[in-house]
Amino acid sequence: MTTTIEVGMLGLGTVGSGVVERLTRSAAKIEQTQGIRLHLAAVAVNHLNAPRTVQLPIGTRLTDSLTNVVCDRKIQLVIEVMGTVAIAKKAIVAALNQGKAVVTANKDLIATAGPELAALAKKQGCDLFYEASVAGGIPILRTLTDSYVTDNVQAVSGIINGTANYMLSAMATGQSYEQALATAQAAGYAEADPTNDDAAYKLMILSRFAFGQELSLPQIAPTGITHLSASVCRLAAENGWQIKLLAQIQRHGSGLYCRVAPVAVPVDQPLSQINGVQNAVAVQSEAIGTSLYTGPGAGSTATANSVLNDVLVAAKHLINGYRMIRNQKRSVSLTVTRFDQLPQTYLGIGPVAPEAVKYYANEADFSVKTIADDCYQITGLSAVKRKKLRANLPLTLIPIAGTTDWKQVTENSITSPINVAI
């Protein structure tokens, strides 16, 4: 027996078009294996006559009114893939207040208003799913919720901005920032604003699921990749490091340490091998050790597939009369500190003579090792010492992964092999 679920969608851009395409291709399989017919009843767009790259299913109506979708009594489930924050929030609130299940890929909204929307969904007895808001091709939120329920997560480190990773991979081969951005845009990977806080918003969501801790953008103070040059990326690669935009969060005692910034990852570490638009999230926990989850992170197909997986779960719940909000862990209050406030080892790259670097090393009490011409490994740099060094020498300073000095905080005793899940 097949049960029909009436679905409405807000937005028909890159991700929305991908959802329609995946739904059309998978409709027969979904009916055969799940006994569910997902009928796309209506899609809301900004401009009715704008050119489309996808053909809507027969019977789907196109509207330029969000109200016509979220207030349609026949529609049981709403997919929000239109982006924005304020307008999308109003639409989701309206849908939840009418008892509709909601699936969204809106990382900015979930990062800033996730707890509020989850509380409303719980009050109204509705599903609210947003797996696609973080690392589109990796079911990391579902994994943290289901697979670590009896475990204690201690650290999460990830490459979760496919566009930035694509550009850094290209820059390591010699392309300039501008060339890498143009290549990413031509391939359909770059976002409208490539300098936004994409990875930071995703880390805010991951923090809730891994630790139950709310983070804010000022607490993270993310650093992007616009200050990096091709020569810096290439020189790092030639000497044993790949520069990656890492989103990191780690717990020590009652403290939580976070970072979104370019980090030099040694080539013998798995995260250094994640290239192009691939995403990867490494989860370190008490029972399992460190596991690495990888998958595509940019492009419509992976994100659309994640959206549809959530849609199917919500549809089953509608049929069975069951509701579940995939929530983060119970809220806690930890002291939040940025990684860059702790002493660590940095890769210093720039046209500076070894004698000049050693002079400041002796003066400021840190050690330096010459790796190659214009490339140095600088150990024991605190925030104050780093600021002084930058003020006096034209060096690009990039923290090296895994070199944080934890002497002043609770020591992390977990050392275990990496298990790779692809």
Side-chain angles (χ1 to χ4, degrees):
M1 179 180 176
T2 298
T3 302
T4 298
I5 297 295
E6 298 291 333
V7 178
M9 189 164 73
L10 312 178
L12 194 57
T14 301
V15 176
S17 296
V19 170
V20 172
E21 184 178 349
R22 296 299 302 170
L23 179 57
T24 302
R25 289 186 178 186
S26 305
K29 181 180 179 181
I30 292 172
E31 284 195 39
Q32 292 171 2
T33 62
Q34 307 297 320
I36 299 172
R37 179 173 178 262
L38 297 173
H39 177 235
L40 187 59
V43 177
V45 297
N46 280 329
H47 306 289
L48 292 175
N49 298 319
R52 315 287 176 199
T53 60
V54 66
Q55 182 70 39
L56 289 176
I58 296 174
T60 300
R61 74 177 187 276
L62 201 62
T63 176
D64 58 1
S65 169
L66 297 177
T67 302
N68 286 345
V69 176
V70 297
C71 294
D72 187 329
R73 294 184 179 181
K74 294 181 180 179
I75 289 177
Q76 303 161 275
L77 189 155
V78 173
I79 302 171
E80 187 277 304
V81 285
M82 64 189 221
T84 74
V85 174
I87 296 175
K89 181 181 178 181
K90 289 181 180 179
I92 290 175
V93 167
L96 292 174
N97 278 329
Q98 295 184 60
K100 303 181 191 301
V102 174
V103 173
T104 178
N106 195 327
K107 60 184 177 295
D108 296 26
L109 175 59
I110 294 301
T112 55
E116 178 186 347
L117 294 176
L120 177 59
K122 183 177 182 180
K123 177 183 177 182
Q124 297 299 118
C126 303
D127 277 335
L128 171 64
F129 291 147
Y130 43 89
E131 183 67 64
S133 65
V134 180
I138 308 171
I140 190 62
L141 301 185
R142 187 173 288 111
T143 299
L144 288 170
T145 301
D146 299 338
S147 300
Y148 289 87
V149 65
T150 61
D151 203 350
N152 291 314
V153 175
Q154 297 200 339
V156 177
S157 181
I159 297 169
I160 51 179
N161 184 312
T163 301
N165 200 50
Y166 182 93
M167 293 176 62
L168 287 172
S169 298
M171 291 167 68
T173 67
Q175 289 189 31
S176 68
Y177 177 90
E178 292 75 18
Q179 289 172 327
L181 176 57
T183 302
Q185 289 172 333
Y189 296 135
E191 299 184 9
D193 179 9
T195 64
N196 73 2
D197 297 311
D198 177 275
Y201 282 129
K202 293 175 181 177
L203 187 66
M204 290 164 67
I205 298 170
L206 285 171
S207 177
R208 294 175 190 148
F209 280 75
F211 302 103
Q213 174 71 44
E214 289 294 321
L215 293 179
S216 66
L217 279 179
Q219 285 178 314
I220 300 172
T223 300
I225 65 173
T226 55
H227 68 289
L228 296 177
S229 66
S231 60
V232 167
C233 295
R234 186 176 64 251
L235 194 54
E238 290 173 352
N239 290 282
W241 292 274
Q242 289 289 333
I243 298 177
K244 300 294 182 183
L245 182 67
L246 288 191
Q248 298 173 277
I249 187 164
Q250 185 164 343
R251 179 169 182 170
H252 274 282
S254 61
L256 201 63
Y257 299 82
C258 61
R259 170 164 61 197
V260 172
V263 175
V265 183
V267 293
D268 61 353
Q269 294 187 13
L271 280 176
S272 74
Q273 306 304 314
I274 306 302
N275 296 313
V277 297
Q278 288 293 104
N279 276 193
V281 180
V283 180
Q284 181 181 342
S285 68
E286 186 176 62
I288 299 174
T290 302
S291 295
L292 181 67
Y293 305 88
T294 70
S300 65
T301 303
T303 304
N305 188 67
S306 185
V307 168
L308 279 181
N309 285 336
D310 274 350
V311 167
L312 276 175
V313 174
K316 290 177 183 177
H317 291 175
L318 287 169
I319 294 170
N320 298 325
Y322 176 73
R323 299 291 187 274
M324 180 185 74
I325 299 91
R326 181 165 285 114
N327 270 332
Q328 59 271 10
K329 288 191 175 182
R330 181 174 296 179
S331 179
V332 298
S333 181
L334 301 171
T335 301
V336 178
T337 305
R338 296 196 310 273
F339 270 97
D340 64 9
Q341 300 304 300
L342 299 176
Q344 56 202 289
T345 301
Y346 283 77
L347 192 62
I349 297 178
V352 180
E355 295 76 15
V357 182
K358 290 178 181 178
Y359 171 82
Y360 283 102
N362 292 332
E363 186 178 83
D365 189 27
F366 58 82
S367 61
V368 59
K369 176 182 178 182
T370 301
I371 304 299
D373 289 344
D374 301 331
C375 183
Y376 306 92
Q377 184 171 322
I378 305 170
T379 303
L381 271 187
S382 64
V384 173
K385 295 175 184 178
R386 187 178 67 253
K387 183 178 180 179
K388 184 175 182 180
L389 185 61
R390 278 179 170 153
N392 289 280
L393 296 177
L395 285 173
T396 297
L397 297 175
I398 305 163
I400 297 176
T403 63
T404 303
D405 186 348
W406 294 105
K407 291 179 182 178
Q408 303 303 316
V409 293
T410 304
E411 187 171 338
N412 184 355
S413 61
I414 288 187
T415 55
S416 52
I418 289 180
N419 310 296
V420 179
I422 300 177

